[in-house]
Amino acid sequence: MTTPFPQRPGPDGHAVPPPGCPAHGLNAGGLLPTGLPAGPVNGVAPSPDGFGPDGFAPHGPAPHGPAPHGPAPAGPRRLYGPEAENDPMGLYEKLRAEHGSVAPVLLQGDVPAWLVLGHSENLHMTRTPSQFSRDSRRWRALHDGSAPPDHPLAPIFTWQPICVFADGADHERLRGAVTDSIARIDHRGVRRYINRYSNRLVNDFCQAGQADLVSSFAEHLPMMVMAQIIGMPEEYDERLVQAARDMIKGTATANESNTYVMAALTRLVKRRRTAPEEDFATWLTQHPAGLTDDEVSQHLRLVLIAAYETTANLIANALRMVLTDPRFRAQLSGGHMTLPEAVEQTLWDEPPFTTIFGRWAVGDTELGGQSIKAGDALVVGIAAANVDPVVRPDVNASMRGNRAHLAFSGGPHECPGQDIGRAIADTGIDALLLRLPDLQLAVEEHELRWSAALMSRQLQELPVTFAPRPPQDVTGPPSATASVPRPRWQVDSPAPSAAPGGGNPDGGPVMPAPASASASAPSPAPVAVAVPEQRPGTSAPRRAWQAVARWWRGY
């Protein structure tokens, strides 16, 4: 990793005081950006000596003299700690009610930032790099030492020679290498790998009749596929999976995990310089943009981690919603929602990244009624923007056909590999449910547990039960060992005690049945069945479409 640049003069041209100086106090030397209201943290007012009830100073050392504007009704809230981890969406709504579309927050170590909650404000910020740069070297917290090189979020904010930290011509050169290399990926070939790896994972637990779909499926499939795409399938193991999850969480071991991932990628780049192959790493090393070994390694890390984390969360969240959400059961059972549409709805309701850190103000400006000063840090509030009442007054309304969500950010830094992530989720979930059409949630929905960090909210477990089945031969087509033709799958979950709004409490198929298929009659208890396709009576057009579908899935 590149260490942040040494201490420099402050944005006003004066020397920045050394770390630990009392001038770093609230609104005195820049610990809080100018304009952040003084007041309680997470709704708890500090004691007269400047310390909170836990004995820690919620805003850093007490400032010299009174705050310039006096105390405000509510101060910045922490984006870490119990409240942020237990109920991030509730925290976002508190911030929206207290401050509007842009709110003051505190990152790990009580380092100040702005969380952008409004949909239009997020779009403006991400689409206007001339005002809100991706170059983290502008951050005042780096100058004054409040965000040191060993900060828990250092793997996220430490400047590196990659497109995500660049603007203008540098961004175009570096991102061009990434997008051109992504364009060379054989999507049909990727779907073959997704199917093969999905079935390999299912083989590991299909005979048990029960599984945790997070640890056994969602956490592993994206890494298996991305390691293959990048060109290092031999590096795939449990350590790589856990390091990829850990390095963006702001944990005490995040820097160690980052070092482990970078070591694997550095080895890969050295191999590809001397032994090129048809993979993403080779394409980056050979791109006309002339990336250095360090630039290639850093961009491989960017692609690997961004694609892995988002897709792992997307798969887990989509499976949960398919198994538990009454809207999905009702719509899918009626044949009005395809699996890709269900995934898209998940991107609205449970985006893989809840926030993205960060943007840095190029100069003094205004956003959402707040006074933003040069060097201030801003956080893209993806989950909050997706439920902004200005653009989505009814959060329960279907967003079918609407891709205006910010799940992949926006502007020139919008995720360039989002279609690969969608393909892994769509194809992987389809393969899983074709193998195990009778999946049922093994616990009540309210018993599911979550963990949250700055950038994501993760489902810890998704326990399910199903009828035990023998493993399949993963070297051939997914249905090679099946004794019956490829089934349509249907998922039913335990019915709630009362269906909200009079909805159907029973489960239903998560892929629409053909128009000629009759609806299954409701049964007294939740059931799940795989309905074999009736090949003798299948029409020629339908057989043709089935052949196209098999080709599209890669087998």
Side-chain angles (χ1 to χ4, degrees):
M1 287 186 61
T2 304
T3 303
F5 58 84
Q7 300 296 325
R8 293 184 178 179
D12 57 0
H14 295 88
V16 176
C21 174
H24 287 157
L26 174 63
N27 286 348
L31 179 61
L32 283 180
T34 304
L36 287 189
V41 177
N42 287 11
V44 179
S47 59
D49 60 2
F51 291 84
D54 54 1
F56 293 94
H59 299 306
H64 297 296
H69 304 293
R77 292 178 177 268
R78 291 187 174 104
L79 283 187
Y80 68 99
E83 182 176 17
E85 294 169 3
N86 295 332
D87 186 16
M89 294 304 294
L91 175 59
Y92 302 154
E93 292 313 308
K94 288 180 182 177
L95 287 166
R96 200 194 308 271
E98 293 167 356
H99 302 282
S101 58
V102 178
V105 293
L106 299 172
L107 307 178
Q108 279 85 341
D110 283 355
V111 180
W114 298 97
L115 175 62
V116 183
L117 303 160
H119 190 275
S120 62
E121 287 79 9
N122 272 289
L123 283 178
H124 174 75
M125 177 176 63
T126 56
R127 292 174 176 176
T128 317
S130 60
Q131 287 183 293
F132 304 101
S133 172
R134 284 291 282 146
D135 190 340
S136 62
R137 293 173 295 184
R138 297 178 179 272
W139 194 11
R140 200 165 51 246
L142 293 179
H143 296 261
D144 66 23
S146 55
D150 61 350
H151 189 277
L153 296 178
I156 301 173
F157 68 69
T158 301
W159 186 88
Q160 295 122 28
I162 56 177
C163 60
V164 76
F165 288 108
D167 297 310
D170 286 342
H171 175 258
E172 292 178 5
R173 179 182 76 89
L174 296 171
R175 184 179 170 96
V178 173
T179 55
D180 290 347
S181 299
I182 288 176
R184 297 181 65 175
I185 295 174
D186 176 8
H187 283 245
R188 184 173 176 237
V190 167
R191 289 181 181 272
R192 287 184 182 275
Y193 285 120
I194 299 169
N195 265 298
R196 182 174 302 164
Y197 292 144
S198 297
N199 282 282
R200 182 182 300 176
L201 290 170
V202 174
N203 279 352
D204 291 338
F205 57 79
C206 64
Q207 298 180 88
Q210 60 183 3
D212 168 24
L213 294 183
V214 173
S215 62
S216 299
F217 191 81
E219 283 190 340
H220 286 270
L221 178 61
M223 184 59 74
M224 296 171 81
V225 176
M226 290 309 301
Q228 181 71 45
I229 290 174
I230 286 176
M232 55 177 214
E234 72 283 352
E235 296 281 0
Y236 165 78
D237 58 18
E238 183 67 24
R239 175 73 189 279
L240 185 64
V241 169
Q242 297 309 319
R245 301 227 85 168
D246 179 60
M247 62 182 288
I248 67 170
K249 290 183 178 180
T251 65
T253 56
N255 287 296
E256 178 184 346
S257 296
N258 177 69
T259 300
Y260 179 84
V261 172
M262 283 304 300
L265 295 173
T266 300
R267 292 192 297 269
L268 172 63
V269 174
K270 289 182 178 179
R271 290 198 303 271
R272 290 298 176 262
R273 287 291 189 191
T274 58
E277 295 189 13
E278 282 297 309
D279 54 41
F280 193 83
T282 299
W283 300 332
L284 279 183
T285 61
Q286 297 178 343
H287 193 272
L291 274 62
T292 66
D293 283 4
D294 187 33
E295 288 176 330
V296 173
S297 299
Q298 298 287 0
H299 281 91
L300 288 175
R301 182 187 72 155
L302 171 66
V303 172
L304 176 66
I305 301 305
Y308 167 70
E309 180 70 13
T310 56
T311 308
N313 288 343
L314 178 58
I315 291 173
N317 293 339
L319 283 169
R320 181 194 68 83
M321 298 184 87
V322 165
L323 291 170
T324 66
D325 195 311
R327 294 174 303 165
F328 282 71
R329 292 203 303 272
Q331 293 187 56
L332 290 167
S333 63
H336 298 301
M337 180 177 285
T338 64
L339 181 57
E341 289 171 341
V343 169
E344 210 65 34
Q345 181 74 38
T346 304
L347 291 170
W348 275 100
D349 297 341
E350 288 285 353
F353 278 159
T354 52
T355 65
I356 294 180
F357 180 69
R359 297 295 193 280
W360 291 272
V362 175
D364 295 355
T365 188
E366 184 273 343
L367 182 67
Q370 300 284 11
S371 177
I372 311 296
K373 299 300 180 182
D376 283 0
L378 299 97
V379 180
V380 182
I382 293 175
N386 279 359
V387 295
D388 183 354
V390 174
V391 297
R392 196 178 175 192
D394 181 6
V395 295
N396 294 317
S398 171
M399 304 304 289
R400 182 180 182 184
N402 188 335
R403 285 195 174 188
H405 56 74
L406 295 181
F408 299 105
S409 189
H413 289 276
E414 183 176 5
C415 175
Q418 54 187 274
D419 288 338
I420 295 294
R422 284 187 174 97
I424 296 174
D426 292 347
T427 310
I429 294 174
D430 182 46
L432 168 69
L433 295 174
L434 283 167
R435 286 284 303 277
L436 305 174
D438 56 342
L439 280 175
Q440 294 188 42
L441 192 63
V443 299
E444 297 295 330
E445 183 180 359
H446 66 81
E447 298 180 64
L448 296 175
R449 296 179 296 113
W450 302 80
S451 62
L454 172 64
M455 294 180 61
S456 63
R457 178 173 180 256
Q458 299 167 354
L459 188 63
Q460 292 187 7
E461 296 176 334
L462 189 62
V464 294
T465 59
F466 49 88
R469 287 173 173 78
Q472 283 191 359
D473 176 11
V474 298
T475 61
S479 58
T481 61
S483 58
V484 295
R486 180 180 176 87
R488 297 193 310 270
W489 48 259
Q490 168 177 317
V491 173
D492 283 292
S493 299
S497 56
N504 177 16
D506 298 325
V510 281
M511 287 287 283
S516 61
S518 60
S520 300
S523 59
V527 295
V529 296
V531 184
E533 294 182 9
Q534 302 301 316
R535 299 186 63 86
T538 301
S539 64
R542 183 177 298 175
R543 287 196 300 272
W545 279 114
Q546 289 169 355
V548 171
R550 286 193 295 272
W551 174 86
W552 175 250
R553 293 187 175 99
Y555 52 82

